[in-house]
Amino acid sequence: MILRIQHRTHFVYDAPAYESHNELRLAPVDGPGQRCLAFGVSTAPASAIIEYADAFGNRVHAVSIHPPHDALAILAEAVVERTAAAPPARTRDVTFAEFLAEDDARSQEYQEFLTPSRYVPFSDRLRRFFWQARPRPTEGVGEYAARAVAYVRDQFEYEPGSTDVHSTIEDLLTSGGGVCQDFAHLTIGLLRLAGIPTRYVSGYLAPVSTAPGNPPPEQATHAWVEALLPGSTWTGFDPTHRGPTRPEHVRIGIGRDYADVPPLRGVYRSHGTTQTMGVDVRIEPLAAWTGGVPGEQ
Amino acid sequence: MLRRIAHHLFWTARHLERAEWRARLVDVHYHLLVESPPRATEPWTPLLAITGEADAFAERYIAADERSVLDFFTFDEANPSSIRSCIYAARENARALRHRISSELWLELNTLHLDAHGWSPAMLEQDGVFGFFADLRDRFYRIAGIVDGTLPRDLGYEFLTIGELLERNENVARLLDVKYHYLLPRPEDVGGPIDLLQWAAVLRSASALEAYRRAYGNAIAVDRVVELLLFDPTFPRSARFCVDQLGAALRRIAAWNAAGPVSRAPATDPLTAMLTIPAGSDVIRHGLHDFLLAVQDECARIETAVFDDYLRFE
Amino acid sequence: MGPWAIPRSSNDQVMLDSAAYETNGYYDEMFAPGLVPRPGCTRVIADLVNLPGARLTELRTRADRMFLRMGVTFNVYGGEAGAERVFPFDPIPRVIDAETWVHIEAGLVQRIRALNAFLTDVYGAGEILRDGIVPRDLIAGSPQFRHAAVGLRPPGGVFITVAGIDLVRGGDGRFYVLEDNVRTPSGVSYVIENRVVMTRLVPDLIRGCAVRSVENYPADLLASLREIAPGNTSRPRIALLTPGPHNSAFFEHVFLSQQMGVELVEGQDLVCVDHALYMRTVHGLERIDVLYRRIDDDFLDPVVFRPDSLLGVAGLMAAVRAGSVAIANMVGTGIADDKAVFAYTPAIIRYYLGEEPILPIVETHLLRDPDVRRMVLRDLDRYVVKPTGASGGYGVVIGPKATYRELAETREHIERDPRAFIAQPVVSLSVHPTLVGGGTHGAPAFAPRHVDLRPFVLFGATPRVLPGGLTRVALREGSLIVNSSQGGGSKDTWVLA
């Protein structure tokens, strides 16, 4: 399917902001089952924008606005083609007993996705949580991964407001509720402690169907995980929805955790103290795409 | 020249000038009181009026007696404009400039700072006032000499000049205003011995008494004092002299611009025009107080322009 | 006894008394066994070492006064008052003959070439990791590996423009590399000021010995910085970024900026506009092409690194990505002086240059290997244990000097997190006759004190090595610690032409 994604971010400042420097990670990457056919980003006020690839291959746009402004609007538009993932080639699920034999080699190659990171510290609480759901030696790795994903979702409420964008897994584990970002982080913790390289994915979840002619419902960015299962490639799981990823999952980028792939990160100067942020994401299917960069507003 | 450096140069000079000015005021006022017959009203309040600090003083001191006022003016660290506070602030600004000013200047400022650290009110007791302020006056003259003798006349020097002259200009206007407006004697006292003593004190604060006598003779007349201190283009502490130098400095700063001189009328032009008036008596007749307020407003406007054009970096 | 007569004791003569001067088997830089002068040292011994004690003490006092007047001080950390002290100076220079220096210089050039190639690779294709020469997780797991530098190609592939490489001479008389410093190495201002002072104290001796000059360093540094400028600017504009007067090396920042004639800036003076770097001057924004930064990566750009940093400038990394400004040293060089990576530097030299290392490194044991770990822990008091980049918060532990409890704690730390440490055998640092006593400290005498050497290597379009470097001397008897903050001092270093 072809999806058109419009991601608007809006800031209002209580006193004019100036010397604003930001990094955007809003451009979907190409990958298995996904091709970004077009992408454009524009800002109001206008800004100098450069693009580069970061250490994880994510597409980054550096946006810089020098003169004072009361508000900042960023519009990112993408046209993405998603195809269903090819079925995995492996015939049987490797057991943990076999899996751990290769632990050394994996810990060298995938160090970054097996060790604690800023939002996923290997705390005592996490270890206890892991212990409750720990894999059995005869259990298949893929089987465990699916089980861990469901386990995380079953233990916690989807509760916007219990945590915020800076919350680590500790906050989720203590508050009992969180959002997709938190579930993703906790799942990463469980899988990493089991020795499975796992990474954080930032992206969108397209609505299952939008009747043509209806305006697309409001969305937001979404977070899930990818685990490197033995004999396979990076396999997507969505902890918030208790299952594997589907063609409706559009990947923007990956990292060790949220810190590596925030949709927007930056600093600005101002004599004021507050900024109000609003985000509006619209995703709609396109019957076809005839080319050209998405229009700017 | 980095804005931050120019900023520190400006403030170093401004704080030093303020400290020196305060020292002059206190010194002269002290001697004025010594030489005057005793008065019924508080003799030290005019000093607070000149600097506009009566309210700040009242917040923490009970009576405007000699000891309290001297303390407030000279030593009080809670008063940001006390002589000690100004010296601290000057040295603090100079510290950021340490590698750009001469070592002699830094040494002098640092030593003055250390000495100010060690000041105590006891130093002013038992006829200590005279010696204390005489010493201080010498220190300021020495600093001026070191600045004059060791600093290259570069862009940075212009900002030192501007800080000093803006402060001086404001203070002359304030001094005149307070004597004229606040200390208005009763009609029968005008021209009387107390009135004349006070005008002589005003002239002494600006080191202008001898210059006055050379120009106008022994008799002190208000309009001539105003003429000397506001309009005389040759006397180094007159407002007119200050604004002329300020304008020249601003023109030189504009000329230093490597991209080409910016053709813009210096912010000092209106004030220069105001101070190019032939007769002090005219101004008095039309309202000296309002005129002096306008001069002070102009100084504030010039400072804002200088900041906007050259100094603002945050 | 040596070949010249050394007067016996008398109250006002300092003597290099063969009976009193005992090197305890350490390699002495100035004297072979039996007080035989080493190559190049004869004149220094005759004209300086053999001076009467009072004269030597006077030279040292004059030197201290000169340093104080010149403002060559350092800020001792701890305390708002920031006590400024003169870095203790010993007037007997350390001499390196020309032939020895050729060897050292070649080894240093080889090292900086290899490390630059390593960084380009590690932040680019990663071939040395793919080929398994250096473990990938060693790099990925180090906080010194800066993700922000991945994919960045600095102009000319130069990551390291300024390096300070610490060398020690072992008991066998060979020079060994103790550690590399390729982030913000400091100390070169002392090298230059030491020479200024010695030139005033003993001008004839310096001339007579044909000592190679160090005064060109600022010009060479400036040339190197110009050579890494992006684009085609004929006259690149350069600035030196300092954290400010409270930094212990501030004197050096001022010194170098003045010597090179470049602006000394702090973070607040800089701003990025449309992905180019400018400084805020009185007359408007002025473009900067090369930023010589003396602040750590962590504080360089609040957008990418620590967001609370006021020392750097927001958007600087984007400007580097845009190719509009070069920074020296480049972001991420810390992975090349990570202590764990150090152990692989001989392999790194072989891999990129296809050459055998000219300068050996001090034996460095990675404690992640269980056999190695066992060996080290068995004799922990014979090793120096250093934290790798991955450790965060631990200090260096010198085995023979540590208390029983310190050793026990170190053992525990190592067991808990072996990847966080490396161990090096204690090197018998060479010694050098150093003036002790004199003045208020009793009769002056010469005593052997441990020294090391930090040469400075520049790399712009080509490598340039400063002849000599900073010889640091541990002033306390038996001490191996040459840091300024812990009782170290310095000597002038004379490389003979």
Side-chain angles (χ1 to χ4, degrees), chain B residues 46-116:
Chain B
L47 210 50
L48 295 168
I50 290 173
T51 57
E53 289 168 315
D55 290 338
F57 178 86
E59 271 170 29
R60 294 182 4 265
Y61 294 82
I62 305 167
D65 55 47
E66 174 179 314
R67 201 192 163 81
S68 302
V69 175
L70 280 180
D71 189 64
F72 177 74
F73 257 81
T74 315
F75 307 117
D76 191 350
E77 286 180 57
N79 173 10
S81 295
S82 72
I83 297 174
R84 178 188 258 160
S85 295
C86 286
I87 288 173
Y88 284 1
R91 185 256 191 185
E92 198 51 38
N93 275 281
R95 205 147 72 116
L97 307 168
R98 191 171 157 182
H99 53 287
R100 292 165 190 274
I101 55 178
S102 62
S103 49
E104 287 106 316
L105 181 56
W106 168 252
L107 195 59
E108 188 63 33
L109 287 175
N110 206 28
T111 312
L112 180 58
H113 165 89
L114 284 170
D115 291 348

Side-chain angles (χ1 to χ4, degrees), chain B residues 203-263:
Chain B
L203 286 169
R204 265 214 204 87
S205 300
S207 295
L209 188 54
E210 284 91 0
Y212 179 93
R213 286 192 180 132
R214 256 198 310 280
Y216 301 106
N218 262 338
I220 297 187
V222 179
D223 58 339
R224 285 171 175 173
V225 174
V226 167
E227 242 168 59
L228 176 62
L229 290 184
L230 281 186
F231 304 126
D232 191 317
T234 65
F235 184 69
R237 288 181 192 272
S238 89
R240 166 72 191 279
F241 183 91
C242 287
V243 77
D244 282 349
Q245 296 294 308
L246 267 170
L250 286 177
R251 272 188 290 277
R252 284 193 299 269
I253 289 174
W256 270 99
N257 189 349
V262 179
S263 61

Side-chain angles (χ1 to χ4, degrees), chain A residues 19 21-23 47-50 52-56 62-66 104 107-112 256 260 265-267 269, chain C residues 135-137 140-142 145 147-148 150-151 268 271-275 280 285 302-304 307 314-315 318-319 321-322 368 419:
Chain A
E19 293 176 22
H21 298 273
N22 310 277
E23 276 190 341
S47 62
I49 305 179
I50 61 166
Y52 56 88
D54 72 10
F56 299 100
V63 165
S64 153
I65 300 128
H66 188 74
D104 248 6
S107 63
Q108 276 214 24
E109 184 67 22
Y110 298 105
Q111 197 267 0
E112 291 174 312
R256 292 165 291 187
D260 287 331
R265 166 171 67 198
V267 299
R269 307 183 70 179
Chain C
R136 182 184 295 273
D137 66 306
S142 170
F145 179 73
H147 290 82
V150 173
Q268 52 189 319
V271 63
C272 286
V273 181
D274 294 347
H275 310 300
R280 308 179 203 264
L285 297 179
V303 175
V304 172
R321 287 267 179 191
R368 47 169 45 200
R419 277 148 198 258

